Amino acid sequence: MKKTKYKWLSLLLVLFVIAGCSSNTGTTSSSSNTKDAVQDGGTLNIAFQSEPTTLDPQITGNSSVKDATRSIYEKLVILDDSGNVVPDLAEKIDLSDDKKVYTFQLRKGVKFHNGKEMTADDVEASINRWIKLSSLGKTNFIGAEVKKTDDYSVELHLKTPNVNTLALLADPIPAAAVMPKEIIEKAPDEGATEYVGTGPYKVKEWKQNQYLTLEKFADYSSEGRELKKEPHVDEIKISFITDESTRISGLTTGQFDIALGISSDNAQQVEGAQTASIKKAPGGFLGLFYNSQKGFFKELNARKAVNAVINSEDILSSSYGSADFYELTSSIVNKQFPNYYSEAGSAEYNQHDPDKAKEYLKEAGYNGQEIKILTSRDYQDQYNTAVVVQQELEDIGVKVKLEVYDWATFGEKLTDTSSWDLYPVDWAARSTIFQGFWTSYGAPVEESTKYLDAIKASADVEDARPAIDAAQQYVWDTLPFTLIGHKVALNAVANKVEGYEFNLGPVFYNISLKNN
């Protein structure tokens, strides 16, 4: 089979209260005697807003799982901070002329945390399980299979070309994490119970409802890789603290070095303490999803009426406060990831035109029936969005009922499409357009498939540009949801922390601590 060498640089592919949280107590050693050298050692204390449901990142799209495990596991490829794919456990990649076979040459000498060397057997078992179990694998790799060709190379055979292949393999959620074959073979579909990867940190202790401790993996090396991972601290202790005020208090007193999930209301408090700063990052988009399969919103003009009356700025300011904490944009993918950013259909965005909305209502045959908006107070931004949308619809004569549930019940209610008409929800930031953005409950999947297939079938991202714009235009023409805008993720980082990064989530493995 004739193969074409993959051109990486041109491939622009592409979302608790703790007992005994101590201050940094790890052994301190300096990697250099110079004043500005990075200091090794110590314990990085982090406050998470929720506990991961598992430490198996292959099976879930849960953000806490992603954030807790990306220091433990590695993938064949990884995304840089602009959404470009670069090799990680793979050293070299070739793509067949028909773009249906990817050949991965693996790095030699990579060790798992159990001391065993990673080989093609492990990669074959891991990626095939990810294809079988993960949402990304099941929706984008139907009929695909990884086959070992020798001890240090595997082939990924696709049924049809997919320009997103490497980006999906590099996506941190759910991750195509490589684990030892023997662990994969005995892991239940509900999640592995042995947590062994090749990453810079390994699991030391997971005390349920309290904390997870990771320790530096002594045999780790990222030598030869484009994206370096340099573990400096001896341990990472992740505490599960659901109460935001407790996370902030712990940061202020020095109990924590990083506190995740800070609301815009409390950002000023963190900055005011002068011991930490707020780090901003793309936080994903906020959308209002329609039940376009049943009820009033089966009618396109009904959806256009809601879309026409929405004032995105009012909603976003209600949900996130200052304009520093949100972005008004009609693009599904944030501008930080330019490969998939698109302004197609932007004329339909943020119209705030009540008269036009009333015309659409009339064309849709609105006769005073009650519209049900489903929401939950567990996510304040989504609840605030529901309240503002309710008011805007009532202002143009629509009768609206707000139904508020806890998050678990909210999820159950969504599955019954006869019980709701609208719901707001935010999606984690992603660097690509793939199936999932508009396949939530209530919107028909089939209509969007041809747009996604056109993107997948493109030779590269540049070639995919018309298909990306067409997919974006489709969303604004047919309104499976109204995109309201993008939020900004806020995390608080102590001044003593150096090397903090955010790439579709916080990255901890390059962090060091001053004055250990």
Side-chain angles (χ1 to χ4, degrees):
M1 175 176 58
K2 184 180 178 181
K3 298 175 180 177
T4 303
K5 184 178 181 180
Y6 218 83
K7 299 178 180 178
W8 285 103
L9 294 178
S10 63
L11 180 62
L12 299 179
L13 290 174
V14 229
L15 218 105
F16 354 148
V17 176
I18 177 80
C21 287
S22 61
S23 59
N24 301 321
T25 56
T27 303
T28 299
S29 63
S30 176
S31 59
S32 168
N33 292 325
T34 60
K35 181 179 179 180
D36 297 329
V38 172
Q39 289 185 307
D40 287 347
T43 297
L44 176 68
N45 284 290
I46 308 169
F48 270 37
Q49 63 268 55
S50 61
E51 183 171 10
T53 54
T54 175
L55 295 183
D56 181 348
Q58 287 199 349
I59 64 163
T60 178
N62 182 283
S63 292
S64 292
V65 176
K66 173 200 64 179
D67 297 340
T69 61
R70 64 193 302 175
S71 296
I72 303 170
Y73 303 100
E74 296 182 300
K75 308 178 293 294
L76 291 172
V77 286
I78 191 170
L79 296 172
D80 69 14
D81 57 9
S82 295
N84 303 311
V85 180
V86 296
D88 200 16
L89 289 176
E91 188 169 40
K92 178 175 176 289
I93 300 172
D94 294 302
L95 177 60
S96 64
D97 287 344
D98 65 3
K99 303 186 185 305
K100 293 168 63 176
V101 180
Y102 287 81
T103 301
F104 298 87
Q105 299 294 330
L106 307 178
R107 297 184 188 280
K108 296 181 180 178
V110 176
K111 293 290 185 64
F112 283 110
H113 299 156
N114 60 8
K116 172 193 158 185
E117 184 184 13
M118 179 200 72
T119 68
D121 289 324
D122 305 305
V123 175
E124 179 186 68
S126 296
I127 305 305
N128 282 335
R129 177 177 183 263
W130 177 81
I131 290 172
K132 174 188 173 185
L133 297 181
S134 75
S135 56
L136 293 184
K138 288 188 287 188
T139 54
N140 293 281
F141 292 90
I142 297 172
E145 185 180 12
V146 172
K147 299 177 181 178
K148 170 185 173 182
T149 51
D150 61 42
D151 285 346
Y152 295 99
S153 68
V154 298
E155 290 180 346
L156 170 60
H157 293 256
L158 305 177
K159 288 296 184 183
T160 56
N162 184 349
V163 72
N164 281 340
T165 293
L166 295 178
L168 292 165
L169 288 171
D171 199 299
I173 176 175
V178 175
M179 308 178 194
K181 178 183 178 182
E182 59 272 20
I183 290 179
I184 290 291
E185 289 179 336
K186 60 184 178 183
D189 290 354
E190 294 75 22
T193 54
E194 294 181 71
Y195 313 120
V196 177
T198 60
Y201 287 89
K202 62 181 181 180
V203 176
K204 179 179 180 181
E205 183 183 18
W206 184 11
K207 195 163 186 177
Q208 300 282 337
N209 301 316
Q210 295 193 41
Y211 60 82
L212 167 69
T213 304
L214 310 178
E215 64 180 354
K216 184 191 291 187
F217 179 37
D219 290 336
Y220 184 78
S221 173
S222 61
E223 185 177 355
R225 305 191 200 186
E226 185 172 333
L227 288 187
K228 299 294 184 184
K229 303 172 192 173
E230 298 179 339
H232 295 295
V233 298
D234 295 328
E235 291 189 351
I236 299 173
K237 187 171 184 178
I238 299 169
S239 302
F240 311 125
I241 311 291
T242 57
D243 181 67
E244 183 181 348
S245 61
T246 305
R247 295 198 299 277
I248 293 175
S249 175
L251 184 80
T252 304
T253 60
Q255 181 182 16
F256 302 124
D257 303 306
I258 297 175
L260 302 184
I262 302 301
S263 64
S264 55
D265 290 343
N266 289 319
Q268 190 173 6
Q269 177 189 346
V270 172
E271 296 278 8
Q274 299 185 341
T275 57
S277 60
I278 291 292
K279 304 297 184 185
K280 301 175 186 175
F285 80 79
L286 178 66
L288 181 67
F289 286 76
Y290 302 95
N291 184 347
S292 55
Q293 301 198 65
K294 294 181 180 177
F296 182 55
F297 291 110
K298 284 184 67 174
E299 169 62 43
L300 176 60
N301 283 322
R303 304 197 293 274
K304 285 186 173 182
V306 177
N307 185 67
V309 78
I310 278 179
N311 184 328
S312 294
E313 189 165 8
D314 280 356
I315 293 173
L316 292 170
S317 62
S318 171
S319 299
Y320 306 116
S322 166
D324 291 338
F325 305 131
Y326 64 80
E327 181 183 356
L328 282 165
T329 175
S330 62
S331 177
I332 294 172
V333 176
N334 189 281
K335 191 177 290 184
Q336 180 175 340
F337 306 107
N339 299 335
Y340 282 78
Y341 177 81
S342 173
E343 296 183 353
S346 60
E348 302 299 316
Y349 175 67
N350 192 25
Q351 299 174 63
H352 189 41
D353 188 337
D355 292 336
K356 188 175 182 181
K358 290 177 182 176
E359 291 176 9
Y360 280 130
L361 276 181
K362 185 177 180 180
E363 292 176 19
Y366 180 68
N367 59 9
Q369 64 264 47
E370 184 177 75
I371 300 301
K372 295 180 181 177
I373 301 179
L374 205 62
T375 190
S376 170
R377 284 186 181 273
D378 290 356
Y379 288 86
Q380 194 64 37
D381 57 344
Q382 297 175 29
Y383 174 77
N384 289 352
T385 297
V387 171
V388 176
V389 170
Q390 178 188 28
Q391 184 60 56
E392 291 179 342
L393 290 177
E394 288 177 346
D395 286 347
I396 59 171
V398 178
K399 186 178 180 181
V400 181
K401 180 181 181 182
L402 208 61
E403 297 197 349
V404 185
Y405 301 97
D406 63 83
W407 187 247
T409 305
F410 170 85
E412 293 173 4
K413 288 285 184 180
L414 280 184
T415 63
D416 179 7
T417 53
S418 65
S419 65
W420 57 272
D421 297 297
L422 296 168
Y423 71 93
V425 74
D426 56 66
W427 284 71
R430 311 308 286 260
S431 59
T432 62
I433 293 178
F434 62 92
Q435 186 171 353
F437 277 112
W438 51 82
T439 55
S440 294
Y441 302 104
V445 175
E446 295 76 12
E447 292 182 21
S448 65
T449 301
K450 63 180 180 182
Y451 297 96
L452 296 168
D453 288 345
I455 295 173
K456 294 175 183 177
S458 302
D460 51 37
V461 170
E462 184 177 353
D463 183 57
R465 173 49 54 185
I468 292 169
D469 289 340
Q472 173 91 21
Q473 187 69 50
Y474 160 80
V475 170
W476 286 110
D477 286 347
T478 64
L479 295 172
F481 62 90
T482 286
L483 194 156
I484 297 170
H486 286 247
K487 66 178 182 179
V488 174
L490 303 178
N491 296 315
V493 180
N495 296 340
K496 66 188 293 187
V497 173
E498 293 189 327
Y500 171 83
E501 302 168 47
F502 191 101
N503 183 357
L504 297 176
V507 178
F508 306 126
Y509 40 66
N510 286 330
I511 285 178
S512 63
L513 299 170
K514 291 186 285 189
N515 303 319
N516 277 304

